[in-house]
Amino acid sequence: LSAATEVRCSQMPTYACHRRTPLNHHNQTITNALEILARSAFFQESDVRYLGFTRAASTLKALPYKLQSVNQAKDLPWCGGHCMIVIQEILEHGMCREVEVIKNNEHYQTMELLTGIYGVGVRTAQRWFKEGIRNLSDLKTMECKLTAEQVSGLRHCKDLQQQVTLEEAERVGQLVKDTLQRFVPDVHITMTGGFRRGKEVGHDVDFLITHPNENALSGLLEDAVGWLETQGLLLYHHLKKRKPALRSASSSMDSHETCYAIVALPSSSSPWNTDIEVKKCNSEDAERIAHPESPNSLNSRTWKAVRVDLVVTPQAEHAYALLGWTGSKHFERELRRYSLREKKLSLNSHGLYDLEKLSGSLEC
Ligand code: CTP
Ligand code: MN
Ligand code: MN
Ligand code: MN
C-alpha cells in the first residue's frame, strides 16, 4: 500500500454521511458477512448489535482498497471487537463460521422469508415463528388473521420478491406521471429511493410529488388512486393522511401524505403501455387484472405486481423530503445523528430545526 492510501484510511470519517459509499466496492465478502450478522441482530431486535455491524459494513464499503490484513482495519471507525474477529476470520479462511451457522439457522431463514412479505415486520414475524409458522403454506392456513396489507403481500409475494429493474421503474414513473397529470397537468414528480442513488434494481419505486400551489395537491392522491382503480391497475393501496401535529422537530416520524401501493405494471408489450391517455382497458380486462387469481388470468399474465410509494409534500418541505427519501437508510440515520450531535440541529424530512431557538420559543 502506498503511504497516501494509508493516510486516507486513518482519516476515514466516522459519520457515514461524510464518506462516499460506492455501490461497487473492494470488500464485498466482508461486508456481506457483516450485513448478515446485522440482519440476524435485527431479527432478534438487538438494536445495538444491529447498528454496530451496519456501521462496520458501511465503513468498509467506503474503503478505497481491498483489506489484506486486520492490521489495516484496526484504526477504521466502528471496526473493533466482534467485527474485528469476523474480518480476521474472513481474511484468513475466506469465510466466517458464525455467519455460516446463521445462514443455516431455522430462525434466521424463517425471519428472512416472513419479513420479506410486504406488511410483515420483525415483531409479527417473531410471533409467527413462536406460533410454529415456517413457510408460506403455514401462513396461508391462517389467512383470516392477516391484515389487508399482509393478504396483498402474500398474494403478490412471488412478484414482489423479484427485484424491480430500472426499466420497470421508469415505466412505473410514466404511469404515475400520466395518472397525476390527468388531475394536475404541471405537477412535479421526482423518483427517489435507491433508483435516485443510481441503483439499477430495487425492492420498490419511490416518488415525491409537489406543486408550487399547495391547493393543487389537495385530494390528488385520492384522485390518482380512484383512476388507477378504474383501470384495474391498483392491487393494493393504503393512504396515509398528512398529520401536522406530528410534524415537529423532535419527531423523526415522517408525516407527509403518503400512498403505499401495489400496482399491476403492464408488461412493455401490453396494450396498456402504449398510451394510457387514449387507450382505456375494458371492464373485463380490469376485472382480470384486479383479481389475478381468477382462472382466465392464469395463462396469460401481462403484468407484474410492483410496490410503489407516493409521497406528497408542500413545496416548502420538498428539499427536506427529497433528502430524506433518497436514502440510504443508514446514510439518513447518520446525517441526522451528525446534525443533532455536532450542530444541535434536528433534521427530518420536513425541515431542519434549531433546537436552542425552538426550546427558547417554547419557553416564552
Ligand atoms: N423513508 C422514509 N420514511 C418512510 C420510508 C422510507 O423516510 N416511511 C426513506 C428511507 O430513509 C429510505 C428511503 O426513504 O432511505 C427509501 O426507502 P426504501 O424504498 O425502503 O429503500 P430504498 O433505499 O429505496 O431501497 P430499495 O431499493 O430496497 O427500495
Ligand atoms: Mn425504494
Ligand atoms: Mn428497502
Ligand atoms: Mn419505499
Side-chain angles (χ1 to χ4, degrees):
L1 282 183
S2 70
T5 313
E6 292 283 11
V7 168
R8 280 167 79 186
C9 170
S10 69
Q11 288 175 343
M12 171 88 75
T14 58
Y15 288 103
C17 55
H18 290 160
R19 311 185 290 245
R20 284 182 63 84
T21 307
L23 217 49
N24 300 309
H25 57 86
H26 306 275
N27 294 282
Q28 205 83 50
T29 312
I30 299 175
T31 60
N32 287 348
L34 291 169
E35 284 181 339
I36 287 169
L37 291 164
R39 261 208 308 288
S40 169
F42 184 65
F43 292 155
Q44 291 161 15
E45 299 181 74
S46 170
D47 295 351
V48 175
R49 289 175 56 236
Y50 165 75
L51 208 51
F53 290 126
T54 302
R55 282 186 173 142
S58 167
T59 297
L60 293 179
K61 286 178 187 176
L63 203 62
Y65 57 87
K66 192 175 187 321
L67 270 186
Q68 308 287 346
S69 76
V70 275
N71 227 20
Q72 293 170 348
K74 72 178 194 308
D75 294 326
L76 292 175
W78 312 112
C79 289
H82 195 156
C83 294
M84 193 57 96
I85 294 168
V86 176
I87 293 169
Q88 177 160 19
E89 221 182 304
I90 293 178
L91 287 177
E92 285 173 8
H93 307 287
M95 52 127 85
C96 169
R97 264 256 304 282
E98 187 186 3
V99 173
E100 296 309 309
V101 169
I102 288 172
K103 282 200 277 192
N104 291 311
N105 178 278
E106 188 182 34
H107 181 259
Y108 179 81
Q109 287 179 355
T110 310
M111 292 297 283
E112 278 279 22
L113 177 78
L114 297 179
T115 60
I117 301 165
Y118 175 59
V120 182
V122 170
R123 287 278 157 81
T124 307
Q126 281 277 39
R127 200 179 69 237
W128 288 348
F129 184 83
K130 281 179 189 149
E131 289 170 10
I133 306 278
R134 293 293 179 272
N135 51 50
L136 299 184
S137 336
D138 293 346
L139 210 51
K140 278 172 188 151
T141 64
M142 52 172 276
E143 197 169 282
C144 57
K145 287 188 193 163
L146 304 183
T147 65
E149 193 183 28
Q150 291 160 354
V151 169
S152 297
L154 191 56
R155 180 170 297 157
H156 302 292
C157 70
K158 280 234 173 64
D159 281 9
L160 298 183
Q161 272 162 8
Q162 278 179 43
Q163 290 185 306
V164 182
T165 64
L166 182 56
E167 186 269 333
E168 287 167 337
E170 276 161 0
R171 280 192 288 119
V172 172
Q174 192 61 46
L175 175 65
V176 168
K177 187 173 159 208
D178 289 342
T179 302
L180 295 174
Q181 284 182 346
R182 301 179 81 85
F183 305 100
V184 181
D186 56 347
V187 65
H188 191 282
I189 306 162
T190 316
M191 194 187 290
T192 60
F195 289 109
R196 185 157 187 269
R197 303 198 302 278
K199 282 176 66 180
E200 279 172 5
V201 291
H203 96 285
D204 70 353
V205 199
D206 309 282
F207 296 94
L208 226 53
I209 299 153
T210 194
H211 193 273
N213 176 5
E214 220 176 302
N215 292 331
L217 297 170
S218 127
L220 178 58
L221 283 187
E222 279 95 338
D223 289 340
V225 159
W227 190 78
L228 286 170
E229 252 168 359
T230 65
Q231 301 304 295
L233 296 176
L234 202 55
L235 301 167
Y236 168 84
H237 80 278
H238 170 74
L239 269 176
K240 195 190 79 181
K241 283 280 163 205
R242 184 175 157 83
K243 295 192 207 81
L246 258 179
R247 221 184 75 238
S248 73
S250 58
S251 177
S252 64
M253 278 287 292
D254 182 320
S255 62
H256 295 296
E257 184 183 350
T258 306
C259 179
Y260 305 96
I262 302 174
V263 303
L265 179 67
S267 51
S268 46
S269 57
S270 147
W272 283 290
N273 205 47
T274 50
D275 186 353
I276 65 165
E277 292 275 354
V278 183
K279 181 113 189 170
K280 290 189 177 170
C281 66
N282 61 42
S283 60
E284 198 179 294
D285 286 339
E287 175 66 17
R288 186 160 53 86
I289 223 166
H291 301 283
E293 287 173 343
S294 65
N296 49 356
S297 72
L298 283 178
N299 302 321
S300 55
R301 277 241 330 227
T302 53
W303 53 275
K304 176 187 176 184
V306 177
R307 272 270 302 114
V308 177
D309 289 336
L310 303 173
V311 183
V312 173
T313 72
Q315 186 112 314
E317 296 173 15
H318 185 257
Y320 300 99
L322 186 59
L323 183 60
W325 276 82
T326 298
S328 70
K329 273 179 189 95
H330 188 62
F331 176 89
E332 302 293 341
R333 188 191 297 112
E334 290 281 283
L335 191 59
R336 287 168 196 196
R337 192 168 68 92
Y338 170 72
S339 315
L340 198 61
R341 291 190 23 165
E342 311 293 339
K343 301 288 177 191
K344 308 286 175 253
L345 293 171
S346 169
L347 175 70
N348 61 27
S349 74
H350 297 274
L352 184 64
Y353 310 86
D354 188 322
L355 289 181
E356 280 161 18
K357 280 187 192 153
L358 216 80
S359 65
S361 71
L362 285 178
E363 273 159 24
C364 53

